Amino acid sequence: MLVQAIRITDVAARPVLLDRTTVTDITHAVTDGELRWTAPDDGAPWLVIAYWERGSGQRPEGPHHTDPLSYVVGHFRPARAGHCERRR
């Protein structure tokens, strides 16, 4: 798992504008699946992004992809997208 935070520079813009110089690895702030982190008090909103992998149990089709046996990650399943909460 990887958890990052990034400062939002313009919440009204579509897509939302982010300040890439503020990308911060906050994985260390996760304990037992719970994030305990406070955004910097700079008056700007921050976005928290979490990445993780979990197998779907699906196997690739075709003999060239299954020796040795392998599985496919369910990249686009909505249930795997997690939850986002916006805070200011």
Side-chain angles (χ1 to χ4, degrees):
M1 174 176 43
L2 171 69
V3 182
Q4 295 178 317
I6 185 168
R7 187 166 50 89
I8 299 172
T9 60
D10 188 349
V11 294
R14 293 295 178 255
V16 171
L17 298 180
L18 306 173
D19 180 356
R20 66 181 176 189
T21 66
T22 64
V23 174
T24 306
D25 182 353
I26 57 172
T27 306
H28 68 277
V30 177
T31 304
D32 297 326
E34 184 174 326
L35 174 64
R36 293 188 180 271
W37 176 77
T38 302
D41 189 16
D42 60 4
W46 283 70
L47 175 69
V48 173
I49 305 168
Y51 310 86
W52 67 93
E53 278 185 335
R54 181 176 174 188
S56 66
Q58 178 183 357
R59 296 191 321 197
E61 296 178 12
H64 303 294
H65 303 292
T66 58
D67 186 22
L69 184 61
S70 59
Y71 295 93
V72 175
V73 175
H75 301 292
F76 302 108
R77 293 184 62 192
R80 302 287 187 253
H83 302 280
C84 277
E85 185 176 333
R86 191 168 150 193
R87 295 190 181 220
R88 286 186 170 217

